[in-house]
Structure formats: structure tokens, C-alpha cells
Amino acid sequence: MKIAELINWWENWANPAWQESWDNCGWQIEPGILDAPARVLICLTPTLAVMQEAIALRNQGITINLIFAHHPLIFSPLKSIRSGNPISEMVRLAFTHQIGVYTAHTNFDQVNDGTADVLAQILELKEVTPITLTQDGLGYGRVGNLSPSLSLQELLSQIKTRLSPPDLIFSPSVDLLQNISRVAVLGGSGASYISAVVKTGAQVYLTSDCKFHQFQEARDRNLILIDAGHYATERPACDRLVQKFHNLGVEWVKLSEKDEDFRWFYGV
């Protein structure tokens, strides 16, 4: 499968036109590789470490030519390309080694089997629907039912085991033995959806990047907020993409080993 064919399939499935106005989905760097057979390294965040990993694989004889990422490399318009700047270095290496960088962000968040659906599937939620609809039955986040229901303690344990977050933060003054049957999930920064989650009747909301007063808001609205970290809630969707690309017939595809969680916890 050529890179152009892979990207055409992707954009028919998760249209970049669905992205938010502040987002930057699609090609970040395309150094003239569209007609090449796709050999893909998938990651959450396109960093110099991931680019160096791709170059190292090329030096081993595996001609990686595409880094497919969830997070955009370029969010704001660049004012200059100068040596010593990480994005500039990514551009230089991309053209030198013929490695493109493509991003699927808020368009991938909305689609069926996207970032939110993967989280819902990991927790084995049933009767799943979006937290908020966007178009054509798609939307952000997912809410569904646990069958059988779990205690909060059991749910937290499952999240810890299945997502492997470095730490879990959750609402204060909760009963760990209380019965949980309805859960909402949204990978990445989802605290702005607290009001929408409350309307779904969810008892628990799993997301990340929550601020101090957002935990207060959730507690005051009788919603148990769980923050498992940005990386842990979105990386599983990248793993799913490896399977999806394999099934499409991509000749070589692998999950990056140098993709990073930028938060470490001392003493954990």
C-alpha cells in the first residue's frame, strides 16, 4: 500500500475537515514520499526521540518513511525555521531522511473505534454512546454501562491494570465500596466536558489533565472524576492503529518504543 493510498483511506474514514478550529490535523511534513510503499511508525506525540527511532530503523535496513501521530507537531504558525529549534530539527531530519509526519487528532477522537471508543472497549462498557454528538452519530467521549457493575475500588484497580498509568488521581470523599454501573470516558484533556458528562447520568468520568477546581466542581455535582494521565488514556488508541493498519495491508507498521509520557512521579 502506497502512502498516498493509506492517507486517502484515512481521510475518508476520519476526515481532517472534522477537526476543531484550533487544531492542525493532516500533513505536518510531506517530503515527497506519497508514491512510496508505506512503512509506518505510530506514536502519540511526534518528538525528536521518535524521529531518531525512525532514522535508526532506516539504518538497520527498515525504510521507515512515515511517522503517524495523534498529537500535531505544529499547532501554531511558525515564524521561523532556525537551527536548535526542535520543530526545525524535525523538518530538517524529515527531508534529509525522507520521513513524513502526519497527524490525526480531533478527527480521530470523534470516529467509531477512535480514541474514546478504545477506552470504552478497554473498560468493557456496554450500550456505548458519545458524551456529546458532533455529526453523523459521531462525537467526543463515550458513556456506557458496566455489566456486571463494579465497586469503585474494583474499577480503579481495573483502570490501573489495563492502562498502566504512573498514578491515579480521583475525587475526594468517595466510598470505594459504592456500586458503579455507568461510566464516561474521554482520552486526553477532557475536564471541560464535566457538565456534559453529568447530563449523561454517569457516576464516574475517566479522563486526564484535570485541575484542582475541576475536581471540586465534579465533587459538587456528584460525579467521581478520575485522572489517569494524558499518555495513559490516549496511547492505547495508537496501539489499535497498528492493528488497523496491519489489517489494511500496510507492509510494515510498528508502535514507537520512544514515545514518551512527559509526566513522571517521584517516589511512585
Side-chain angles (χ1 to χ4, degrees):
M1 175 177 277
K2 292 183 178 180
I3 289 177
E5 294 170 331
L6 174 62
I7 298 304
N8 183 61
W9 173 86
W10 179 270
E11 294 187 350
N12 283 326
W13 179 58
N15 194 331
W18 298 342
Q19 68 183 296
E20 296 297 317
S21 59
W22 48 264
D23 203 4
N24 186 30
C25 299
W27 282 109
Q28 310 288 287
I29 308 171
E30 197 284 281
I33 56 171
L34 294 178
D35 290 330
R39 297 184 177 90
V40 187
L41 193 61
I42 291 176
C43 65
L44 182 62
T45 309
T47 62
L48 282 172
V50 175
M51 177 62 78
Q52 293 291 356
E53 179 184 8
I55 293 169
L57 287 167
R58 288 181 72 92
N59 291 338
Q60 295 168 21
I62 303 168
T63 53
I64 299 297
N65 49 26
L66 179 62
I67 293 172
F68 196 101
H70 180 46
H71 294 150
L73 174 68
I74 303 168
F75 261 119
S76 304
L78 299 177
K79 295 185 178 180
S80 66
I81 300 289
R82 303 179 64 183
S83 62
N85 177 277
I87 294 180
S88 301
E89 186 67 4
M90 287 283 284
V91 173
R92 183 184 72 80
L93 292 172
F95 277 91
T96 299
H97 296 277
Q98 293 290 281
I99 300 171
V101 180
Y102 186 95
T103 288
H105 196 213
T106 50
N107 54 332
F108 185 39
D109 289 331
Q110 298 175 59
V111 294
N112 295 323
D113 216 27
T115 56
D117 263 335
V118 170
L119 263 188
Q121 292 161 18
I122 287 172
L123 295 186
E124 300 179 28
L125 299 183
K126 312 296 183 185
E127 301 168 316
V128 172
T129 57
I131 293 172
T132 59
L133 288 169
T134 50
Q135 70 257 299
D136 299 327
L138 306 180
Y140 290 115
R142 297 294 185 266
V143 59
N145 301 320
L146 288 170
S147 181
S149 60
L150 300 171
S151 71
L152 178 57
Q153 178 76 65
E154 290 169 330
L155 178 60
L156 288 167
S157 179
Q158 281 194 4
I159 292 169
K160 187 72 174 175
T161 300
R162 296 178 185 182
L163 297 184
S164 300
D167 201 3
L168 276 179
I169 308 171
F170 61 97
S171 297
S173 304
V174 293
D175 177 5
L176 291 175
L177 298 180
Q178 72 183 95
N179 192 62
I180 304 297
S181 59
R182 189 159 175 79
V183 177
V185 298
L186 193 152
S189 304
S192 62
Y193 288 85
I194 287 174
S195 293
V197 170
V198 169
K199 294 176 183 177
T200 69
Q203 299 160 274
V204 169
Y205 180 33
L206 170 65
T207 186
S208 75
D209 299 344
C210 303
K211 298 178 181 179
F212 179 86
H213 289 294
Q214 289 166 333
F215 276 97
Q216 176 193 7
E217 176 189 356
R219 185 198 62 183
D220 292 347
R221 303 185 72 168
N222 201 32
L223 176 69
I224 299 169
L225 187 59
I226 302 175
D227 186 331
H230 204 113
Y231 183 91
T233 57
E234 290 193 322
R235 171 81 167 181
C238 297
D239 192 31
R240 180 64 58 83
L241 284 185
V242 174
Q243 302 171 32
K244 192 174 288 292
F245 285 10
H246 268 306
N247 293 339
L248 281 172
V250 172
E251 182 177 348
W252 195 98
V253 56
K254 184 175 182 287
L255 188 64
S256 169
E257 296 178 1
K258 299 298 182 181
D259 206 5
E260 301 167 87
D261 188 342
F262 303 119
R263 305 188 316 156
W264 283 18
F265 291 82
Y266 180 74
V268 175

